[in-house]
Amino acid sequence: MHYASMLAPVVREILSDKFHDGDADDWAMTAPTHQAIPCAANLLCWSIADLLKILQTVVNIRHQRGTPSAPGSPEAAKFRDYSQLSFDDRIDSLRFFEYQMSEDSKFTGRRVVFINDINVTGAQQRDMERYFQKLGAATVDWVYLFTVDSALGKGFPQLEYELNQSRVPSPEEFMKMLAAGEIQYTTKCVARIMECDANEFAGILRVLSEPQRETLRQMVTEERRYAGDAFSERVEFLKSYLRNAASTIL
């Protein structure tokens, strides 16, 4: 919400300068693609739209992410954290996981406002430019919190990872955050949960409410990246935990 309040005036200015005021059929706002679990940029986009009271103009782009044939392979591990990849590896990661973006005709002929948190190498923007061009979008305005100099971003793509890791909560802090109240899971939040050790994973499930655990189960089940053998034990433990909790209540 803090960053949404900073970007909302920028989006409002774009709308007033370029688009027909109040004509929702003329434009659309969107953010990076996601499958079942949103990234932080999706939450940012939705919050901006909520602040500007234009939620009806948001179009969510879904993608299908294939499960690699060898989820525990060095290649799968290499591509798991997009923020650490070079420009070329970011392109290769999309091919490795066989991303397929849904083609939404709502972008055809419309002016698009694309919301994201950071642009480091430009790889994702390049792919999205091709996507919008294919669908016949009229124009695209790219709105970022941070835009890294192109040469710097391609030379030091790990900058994004270092920013992500600059303030990582300890296991104890992480559990307090999860237990503090209503949770809006993001891809990185769920990845942190699914990649922690067995004791921490069990402790997290204990502090989550029953609706939170069920939401986590639904997201993990629908997100293809957790369909492989690498996460099968965690997924089965989560399902077993929910079954045991339900039988205890009954």
Side-chain angles (χ1 to χ4, degrees):
M1 287 303 299
H2 170 72
Y3 289 112
S5 65
M6 294 174 62
L7 287 186
V10 177
V11 175
R12 183 186 292 112
E13 183 176 352
I14 291 172
L15 301 184
S16 61
D17 286 351
K18 294 191 175 183
F19 302 162
H20 298 304
D21 190 22
D23 188 353
D25 292 331
D26 190 49
W27 61 278
M29 188 162 73
T30 192
T33 69
H34 67 287
Q35 193 166 18
I37 310 172
C39 64
N42 297 121
L43 301 184
L44 180 64
C45 176
W46 300 340
S47 296
I48 293 170
D50 191 33
L51 287 172
L52 298 178
K53 304 190 185 306
I54 51 175
L55 277 171
Q56 75 278 7
T57 66
V58 174
V59 179
N60 296 313
I61 308 172
R62 302 289 181 174
H63 69 244
Q64 293 296 321
R65 171 176 171 150
T67 302
S69 57
S73 67
E75 289 82 7
K78 171 184 176 181
F79 293 139
R80 188 164 293 151
D81 193 333
Y82 186 86
S83 66
Q84 296 190 71
L85 303 180
S86 67
F87 177 85
D88 291 337
D89 283 343
R90 292 181 186 217
I91 299 300
D92 289 343
S93 73
L94 301 179
R95 300 191 189 101
F96 181 77
F97 288 109
E98 299 179 346
Y99 277 92
Q100 292 184 337
M101 289 184 280
S102 59
E103 296 185 3
D104 200 319
S105 60
K106 292 177 183 176
F107 293 117
T108 303
R110 289 186 172 184
R111 298 174 174 89
V112 178
V113 179
F114 187 88
I115 306 293
N116 206 348
D117 48 9
I118 190 169
N119 180 15
V120 179
T121 67
Q124 184 183 60
Q125 180 171 319
R126 191 192 73 163
D127 282 345
M128 295 310 302
E129 285 173 345
R130 292 177 175 176
Y131 172 80
F132 292 126
Q133 184 178 22
K134 180 180 179 181
L135 292 178
T139 61
V140 182
D141 279 88
W142 307 91
V143 179
Y144 296 101
L145 285 170
F146 302 100
T147 298
V148 179
D149 176 80
S150 178
L152 178 64
K154 289 183 178 180
F156 301 93
Q158 69 276 14
L159 173 64
E160 183 176 0
Y161 175 80
E162 293 176 3
L163 287 171
N164 290 338
Q165 299 297 314
S166 61
R167 177 63 181 92
V168 176
S170 67
E172 295 75 20
E173 290 174 320
F174 187 52
M175 286 191 189
K176 287 181 181 179
M177 290 169 60
L178 294 173
E182 183 179 350
I183 297 298
Q184 288 184 293
Y185 294 107
T186 64
T187 50
K188 284 188 174 59
C189 176
V190 174
R192 166 77 187 263
I193 293 173
M194 296 299 290
E195 293 171 3
C196 65
D197 63 42
N199 290 333
E200 187 181 350
F201 187 71
I204 287 172
L205 295 186
R206 285 195 295 270
V207 303
L208 294 178
S209 67
E210 183 180 357
Q212 289 170 339
R213 290 193 292 263
E214 177 57 26
T215 298
L216 179 63
R217 183 201 65 78
Q218 291 176 359
M219 287 184 163
V220 168
T221 301
E222 295 171 10
E223 186 80 12
R224 290 290 300 278
R225 68 174 291 177
Y226 299 112
D229 294 339
F231 296 99
S232 59
E233 289 187 10
R234 290 286 183 273
V235 173
E236 287 306 312
F237 185 86
L238 173 57
K239 292 178 179 178
S240 175
Y241 194 100
L242 284 165
R243 287 194 298 267
N244 292 336
S247 62
T248 300
I249 293 173
L250 294 175

